[in-house]
Amino acid sequence: MNQKPNQRLKGQTCIVTGGSSGIGLAIAKSIGMEGANVVINYYSDKESAEKVAKEIEGMSECGSAIIHQTDVSKEKQVVGMFKKAIKKFGTVDILINNAGIQMDAPFHEMTLDQWQRVIDINLTGQFLCAREAIKEFKKRGMRPKVSNALGKIIHISSVHEVIPWAGHVNYAAAKGAIVMLMQSLAQEYGREKIRVNSIAPGAIRTPINEDVWGSKKGMKKLKKLIPYNRIGEPADIGSVAAWLASDESDYITGTSIFVDGGMTCYPGFTENG
Ligand code: NAD
């Protein structure tokens, strides 16, 4: 990562869900490099979460980092994660709602379990974490020396919040719903100075889509969907998340920022005018 340490989030604490791999891992590092304390939530890969925490703690001018295992779809566990973060760091200022899965199937063969698990983690998990974050922001009150906002929530959605996705209906339905979750929260809590936004990544090189970018054929097909002609890297999302959590983006709320190399520009029409 070629990002330089900065102090835009000094004195703040951030929870990153699904922070032990891929996009969440890159965001945890970017946020840590901005001087924030980071709670790295993980589901199963403790070793990787520990490695990220050590890396953050090892960088000069970075905040502290702890790890915490939670299934974000389980209410009690999410409440426990916030309790631990508040006990350790005093409060929570930033939530990165990142954890997500895919369980793909042709729609007519999709089981209720495949539908439910994706909705539980990708949508209900974001609801549960956002609710605990907002409770804490309101309870703590403003800290004008730390941030202009009472708190910041960043949902990691997807280009599939607007691009329909055959064979992935559960995933697209969850990501589409995040738009209304995010915008309704921004509307409900804007007056209280809580900023709520989404980052909508395009194709990013992470474990979730290794079956696509892992082969030459898959990569060639993928690039046809990306006007900028390269796959995204997790750090592309990390740098945007750090900026979106900082006061530099203080007037942005209720918006999805597409970080997709132009995937949402309908590249199929490039030579079809
Ligand atoms: P990833 O598989 O590396 O990350 C997903 C993370 O979520 C993993 O760390 C996993 O352990 C965690 N997780 C899964 N179930 C969980 C649960 N019940 N509780 C807590 N954590 C859980 O893949 P990624 O690409 O880094 O995905 C991160 C987010 O980015 C997801 O929401 C995904 O939908 C979104 N996204 C990814 C891409 C892409 O191209 N990689 C594109 C658009 C959106």
Side-chain angles (χ1 to χ4, degrees):
M1 190 161 60
N2 49 22
Q3 200 185 334
K4 295 237 163 61
N6 208 327
Q7 294 292 294
R8 289 182 294 187
L9 303 175
K10 195 172 164 50
Q12 300 189 47
T13 294
C14 174
I15 294 180
V16 184
T17 67
S20 65
S21 67
I23 290 172
L25 188 161
I27 293 177
K29 281 199 212 170
S30 288
I31 296 264
M33 286 180 90
E34 296 288 348
N37 301 315
V38 188
V39 179
I40 299 154
N41 155 251
Y42 70 97
Y43 180 58
S44 56
D45 192 351
K46 188 176 181 191
E47 210 177 298
S48 173
E50 278 171 344
K51 208 171 142 212
V52 188
K54 255 191 199 156
E55 240 182 278
I56 293 172
E57 296 238 308
M59 293 187 286
S60 65
E61 298 178 63
C62 288
S64 298
I66 58 167
I67 66 167
H68 186 73
Q69 183 181 27
T70 298
D71 178 338
V72 294
S73 68
K74 302 281 189 273
E75 186 174 23
K76 268 193 186 157
Q77 294 185 30
V78 170
V79 171
M81 174 169 69
F82 275 79
K83 268 195 185 146
K84 181 170 170 182
I86 293 161
K87 192 168 175 214
K88 172 79 183 167
F89 295 121
T91 188
V92 173
D93 303 271
I94 303 157
L95 166 67
I96 310 286
N97 248 338
N98 166 76
I101 58 164
Q102 279 182 223
M103 290 180 90
D104 310 328
F107 183 67
H108 63 282
E109 288 171 8
M110 187 173 283
T111 63
L112 178 58
D113 189 52
Q114 286 171 319
W115 170 266
Q116 197 63 58
R117 192 74 186 128
V118 169
I119 297 295
D120 283 352
I121 295 170
N122 295 18
L123 181 59
T124 307
Q126 296 216 4
F127 152 71
L128 289 171
C129 293
R131 191 185 61 181
E132 292 316 300
I134 290 175
K135 273 189 208 164
E136 172 56 19
F137 300 162
K138 285 168 72 73
K139 197 169 146 204
R140 182 227 318 129
M142 288 297 289
R143 293 192 298 159
K145 283 191 183 148
V146 174
S147 175
N148 292 341
L150 183 65
K152 281 103 23 163
I153 295 174
I154 299 174
H155 300 275
I156 304 302
S157 64
S158 165
V159 288
H160 296 296
E161 70 171 54
V162 292
I163 301 178
W165 206 14
H168 310 257
V169 170
N170 46 1
Y171 185 87
K175 296 298 186 182
I178 288 172
V179 180
M180 280 296 121
L181 170 65
M182 177 274 288
Q183 290 188 326
S184 301
L185 290 180
Q187 193 189 61
E188 190 164 340
Y189 294 101
R191 277 173 203 277
E192 295 178 58
K193 304 214 69 112
I194 297 173
R195 292 199 294 121
V196 189
N197 292 290
S198 292
I199 296 176
I204 310 296
R205 193 195 307 267
T206 75
I208 213 173
N209 53 4
E210 194 168 355
D211 55 327
V212 180
W213 56 259
S215 71
K216 266 192 180 169
K217 198 174 153 211
M219 186 63 110
K220 198 173 164 200
K221 220 171 134 196
L222 182 64
K223 279 193 188 168
K224 284 196 181 141
L225 300 174
I226 309 170
Y228 203 54
N229 204 34
R230 73 163 171 88
I231 190 169
E233 301 298 338
D236 289 318
I237 308 297
S239 55
V240 175
W243 168 77
L244 194 53
S246 79
D247 282 350
E248 284 183 15
S249 59
D250 190 52
Y251 205 46
I252 299 181
T253 193
T255 296
S256 291
I257 298 186
F258 288 82
V259 185
D260 67 350
M263 193 178 248
T264 36
C265 297
Y266 297 93
F269 280 83
T270 307
E271 282 148 30
N272 263 329

